[in-house]
Amino acid sequence: MEKQTLNKKKRSLRSQIRNLYLSVLLLPLLILGGTLLVVSYRNQIGNDRKLLSAYNSGVRQTMYDLTTYIYNISDSIAYNEDLSRLLAGRYGNNNQFMTAYNNTTVVDQYIAKYTAIGGIYIYSENPTVCSYGRVIKVDDDIRNSDWYQKANSQFTGFWTSYEYTDAYNKEVTALTLIRKMVVVDSGESAVVMIRVSNSFLNSRIENLSYTTLMTVNREPIFCGTDPEAKRTYINENVGIDYNRVRYSNDTTAEYKGIKSLVSVASLKPSKSADSQIYIVSYDTNAYTGIAQMLHWIVALLLVATALSAIVFVWLARRFTKEIATLRYEMGRVSHKNSNDATILQGDKMFSSAELTEAYSDLLLMAENIEKMEAQQYEAELNEKRLQNDQQKIEIKVLASQINPHFLYNTLEMIRMKALSNNDRDVATAIKLLGQSMRYVLENTGTMESTLKKELDHIMNYLQIQKLRFGERVDYQINIQPDMNLEEYVSLPLIMQPIVENAIVHGLEKREGNGKIWVAIYTLDNRVYVDISDNAGGMDEATMNMVLHMVEHYKKENNTSGIALYNINRRMKLTYGEDYGIDIHTVPGEGTRVRLAMPIIRV
């Protein structure tokens, strides 16, 4: 027994040492490491966002310079007199137009001079020209296209993501400026289309760390460092607000299933009223880099934790070894196997003065052991006496309890005696009383019954009152035809106190023709129980007093007021403030109490 006690103390000591390590060393280390992780994460995310936003701003500036540059070139082309004469001329055959075109080298010069231009095309309505070189004769398909109609309807140019098939029969999308061209001395219109070189754009925005996609308005992507994303659409998860003229946002979204930092910026090109270029830059490596950094920090924390644990375990083992020695000596003292010479050796057995001093106190403890054992023995005797007294009290309490079944059986015996004496009224009254008492006892403290059981209880009560008052009291039950009361849940014992109030405070004073009406029906997803009487109603002062008692309980309230308050409060606590008791009275006629509850089926 003593050895088991020592083992328990040893485990308790180890637990305390472990808790000391956890609270003094490990917990601060974890808090410091967690703080370091959070701060490092936030700083790295912040730096990565700034770098990404700066890169996105640089791309935006590049695109602004490029679009302004292209638009200025379009001005030179749209108002070029040589081109205007070429498009306004009348040619007898295609060879004449080709010769005239070859003598006009303005377009080819622009293409050769500016690497940013991927192509320049002029669409002409002149019926005498043919599609040759950079001039394209407008046919019905072109004339009916949206971009051509839009160009002819306005004088300012606009930008679009134009899709075409290149020389290698490959579908390509390019940023394209389209604008109407001035043709002097001609009734025909012409449209200039300037495509931006995708290779030129990619060389300006290419970055190994970021993925950049660009689109005009909500059109397909015309340029991006990810070739697979071209001719697709900007993902909605970046949350672009297309209704704002100047829009920028830094957010987080997934790109190809990878959580990434996102920087979004809009650009309104110069001299373009209805074009908006959106630049979306993704940093798909940000969270991966942060994860690697956090892994290194966690690894360092684990190494620090392991080293501290090793040192602490070594110190703890040394300490527990000395504690074990102290326990051994305490055992000797408790068995009176020690002497003063052993005490004098305490400074050699322990490395700390505290343990040596503790060991020197063992003799004093040994002297008090016998006294403590005697006191403990006396305490155990007192505890036994208390337990015996408690058992006697419990036996008396159990003996004083009344078994409800004994009460039911007794009432049933009295009823059978009444039947044997041919007194059926007494037998009926006892039977109804027993059923009412059984329902009350079974539902005391419960939270749920059914409308069927509640109505049966009310009918038992009314039949007893009918036996009591005879023809002075009558009742009528009305139930909605399609209602099966066994299927509807109700709070128990909420109808009988209201019926009792109607009889005690109203019908008892009548000499005859007293009547109670009970109506149960559903309306607007609610169950209503109306209990009405013809007891003459209440005046305004009495009605106000009753309504106040229903909502506010006071000790001076009469029994009926407490009953109405309790029923109303139970219903509101169970079903909510929209349900409960509603009272309506007509002076000189009667009173109706309405219970409202939600439809809850069994």
Side-chain angles (χ1 to χ4, degrees):
M1 182 67 181
E2 295 176 356
K3 189 174 182 180
Q4 293 178 357
T5 304
L6 287 175
N7 289 334
K8 290 181 180 178
K9 291 180 179 178
K10 187 175 182 181
R11 288 193 296 270
S12 177
L13 180 60
R14 287 179 178 176
S15 176
Q16 292 179 11
I17 294 175
R18 183 177 64 251
N19 292 337
L20 181 64
Y21 167 73
L22 294 175
S23 59
V24 175
L25 186 60
L26 184 59
L27 183 60
L29 185 61
L30 292 177
I31 293 175
L32 180 62
T35 303
L36 178 62
L37 286 173
V38 172
V39 172
S40 300
Y41 174 84
R42 290 180 177 176
N43 289 340
Q44 189 63 38
I45 284 290
N47 291 334
D48 289 344
R49 285 195 185 279
K50 289 179 181 178
L51 291 174
L52 182 63
S53 180
Y55 167 76
N56 186 270
S57 298
V59 174
R60 181 178 179 276
Q61 184 61 43
T62 299
M63 292 302 299
Y64 180 82
D65 294 339
L66 177 63
T67 53
T68 304
Y69 173 68
I70 296 295
Y71 205 99
N72 291 336
I73 293 175
S74 72
D75 282 339
S76 299
I77 294 174
Y79 296 102
N80 185 273
E81 295 180 357
D82 292 338
L83 284 177
S84 180
R85 283 193 296 270
L86 174 67
L87 298 176
R90 291 296 183 264
Y91 307 98
N93 52 53
N94 292 341
N95 290 331
Q96 290 181 5
F97 171 73
M98 292 177 185
T99 301
Y101 175 83
N102 292 331
N103 293 328
T104 306
T105 61
V106 176
V107 175
D108 293 331
Q109 289 175 358
Y110 276 113
I111 295 176
K113 184 178 180 180
Y114 301 103
T115 58
I117 298 176
I120 300 177
Y121 299 92
I122 301 174
Y123 294 82
S124 174
E125 293 276 0
N126 189 339
T128 64
V129 304
C130 64
S131 296
Y132 177 73
R134 298 293 172 176
V135 177
I136 299 175
K137 185 176 181 180
V138 175
D139 56 15
D140 290 338
D141 291 338
I142 296 175
R143 189 176 294 108
N144 295 328
S145 62
D146 294 336
W147 61 267
Y148 187 83
Q149 293 182 3
K150 182 177 180 181
N152 275 314
S153 64
Q154 60 189 41
F155 287 95
T156 58
F158 64 91
W159 295 87
T160 184
S161 295
Y162 186 80
E163 297 183 14
Y164 66 99
T165 304
D166 63 6
Y168 303 98
N169 202 26
K170 182 179 178 181
E171 296 292 330
V172 181
T173 302
L175 178 63
T176 303
L177 173 64
I178 302 175
R179 62 175 296 176
K180 191 174 183 179
M181 180 179 176
V182 177
V183 180
V184 180
D185 300 327
S186 173
E188 295 87 17
S189 61
V191 172
V192 178
M193 175 185 290
I194 303 178
R195 298 176 189 163
V196 179
S197 172
N198 282 338
S199 60
F200 176 86
L201 267 182
N202 290 334
S203 66
R204 294 297 185 273
I205 68 173
E206 189 172 6
N207 187 296
L208 297 178
S209 300
Y210 306 133
T211 299
T212 299
L213 307 176
M214 289 187 285
T215 182
V216 178
N217 299 332
R218 299 191 182 187
E219 298 175 6
I221 297 170
F222 63 82
C223 180
T225 56
D226 183 1
E228 296 178 1
K230 293 180 181 179
R231 302 182 68 243
T232 62
Y233 292 87
I234 296 294
N235 200 321
E236 293 293 335
N237 61 7
V238 300
I240 297 178
D241 187 357
Y242 292 97
N243 295 321
R244 293 174 57 182
V245 176
R246 289 179 176 84
Y247 175 79
S248 63
N249 183 32
D250 293 328
T251 184
T252 301
E254 284 193 358
Y255 183 73
K256 291 187 175 181
I258 301 175
K259 187 178 181 182
S260 309
L261 297 179
V262 184
S263 181
V264 183
S266 67
L267 167 66
K268 189 171 185 60
S270 176
K271 302 179 183 179
S272 179
D274 55 354
S275 298
Q276 188 95 333
I277 297 177
Y278 295 92
I279 305 166
V280 182
S281 299
Y282 294 89
D283 187 354
T284 57
N285 299 320
Y287 284 97
T288 303
I290 292 172
Q292 292 177 352
M293 180 192 68
L294 296 181
H295 289 163
W296 278 108
I297 295 176
V298 171
L300 291 175
L301 289 175
L302 291 177
V303 171
T305 302
L307 291 177
S308 64
I310 291 173
V311 174
F312 205 92
V313 168
W314 178 76
L315 293 174
R317 285 183 176 178
R318 179 180 176 183
F319 179 72
T320 53
K321 183 179 180 180
E322 293 186 355
I323 293 296
T325 302
L326 178 61
R327 288 174 179 167
Y328 173 75
E329 295 299 327
M330 290 177 64
R332 293 179 60 202
V333 171
S334 65
H335 289 87
K336 301 178 179 61
N337 293 329
S338 62
N339 50 46
D340 294 340
T342 306
I343 298 298
L344 294 175
Q345 297 177 0
D347 58 340
K348 298 180 180 179
M349 292 185 293
F350 307 108
S351 60
S352 63
E354 289 80 3
L355 293 178
T356 303
E357 292 175 0
Y359 185 62
S360 66
D361 293 333
L362 289 177
L363 285 180
L364 295 176
M365 294 174 58
E367 293 176 0
N368 295 324
I369 287 178
E370 292 183 358
K371 294 181 181 179
M372 294 175 62
E373 289 178 349
Q375 293 174 356
Q376 183 178 2
Y377 179 72
E378 183 67 24
E380 290 178 353
L381 289 179
N382 291 334
E383 184 178 358
K384 291 293 184 182
R385 294 191 189 100
L386 289 174
Q387 289 179 354
N388 292 335
D389 293 342
Q390 185 177 359
Q391 290 176 354
K392 291 178 182 180
I393 293 173
E394 290 176 354
I395 292 173
K396 290 180 180 180
V397 171
L398 292 173
S400 64
Q401 291 180 345
I402 298 176
N403 190 339
H405 293 289
F406 171 75
L407 180 61
Y408 303 150
N409 294 336
T410 302
L411 289 174
E412 182 65 16
M413 180 193 69
I414 297 174
R415 188 177 75 86
M416 297 305 296
K417 286 288 186 181
L419 286 175
S420 64
N421 292 330
N422 202 24
D423 194 342
R424 295 189 174 275
D425 289 343
V426 174
T428 300
I430 293 173
K431 177 182 178 181
L432 296 173
L433 177 61
Q435 292 175 349
S436 296
M437 293 181 65
R438 179 184 295 272
Y439 182 75
V440 172
L441 291 174
E442 289 178 350
N443 287 277
T444 300
T446 63
M447 293 296 295
E448 187 175 293
S449 182
T450 65
L451 286 176
K452 180 66 169 60
K453 293 180 181 180
E454 274 289 285
L455 184 61
D456 291 343
H457 179 57
I458 294 301
M459 293 181 68
N460 289 336
Y461 178 79
L462 288 171
Q463 291 181 51
I464 292 173
Q465 298 301 328
K466 183 72 173 175
L467 291 172
R468 176 185 175 189
F469 293 104
E471 297 301 326
R472 291 168 55 192
V473 175
D474 197 2
Y475 64 90
Q476 181 178 340
I477 308 295
N478 297 318
I479 303 172
Q480 186 174 304
D482 59 346
M483 288 186 69
N484 183 1
L485 299 186
E486 293 181 350
E487 297 179 356
Y488 292 83
V489 175
S490 170
L491 285 175
L493 305 173
I494 60 173
M495 300 184 191
Q496 185 269 336
I498 299 174
V499 176
E500 183 178 355
N501 283 346
I503 294 177
V504 171
H505 297 284
L507 300 182
E508 276 190 352
K509 301 176 183 179
R510 295 178 64 95
E511 296 182 357
N513 296 326
K515 194 165 184 179
I516 300 291
W517 290 272
V518 178
I520 303 177
Y521 57 94
T522 61
L523 182 64
D524 296 333
N525 204 29
R526 292 189 177 193
V527 174
Y528 292 98
V529 179
D530 290 352
I531 300 174
S532 309
D533 61 61
N534 60 347
M538 295 177 283
D539 56 27
E540 183 177 356
T542 305
M543 180 65 179
N544 291 334
M545 181 185 67
V546 171
L547 292 176
H548 181 78
M549 287 190 299
V550 169
E551 297 293 338
H552 307 283
Y553 167 71
K554 292 184 179 180
K555 291 184 177 179
E556 61 268 18
N557 284 358
N558 54 29
T559 304
S560 63
I562 295 175
L564 292 175
Y565 171 82
N566 286 337
I567 294 171
N568 187 58
R569 192 62 184 158
R570 283 173 60 199
M571 295 184 72
K572 290 184 179 297
L573 289 174
T574 303
Y575 303 132
E577 292 296 328
D578 294 336
Y579 303 94
I581 291 179
D582 176 68
I583 303 176
H584 177 73
T585 186
V586 178
E589 294 184 11
T591 302
R592 182 215 68 205
V593 178
R594 173 172 291 169
L595 302 177
M597 64 190 79
I599 294 179
I600 303 176
R601 297 185 182 274
V602 177

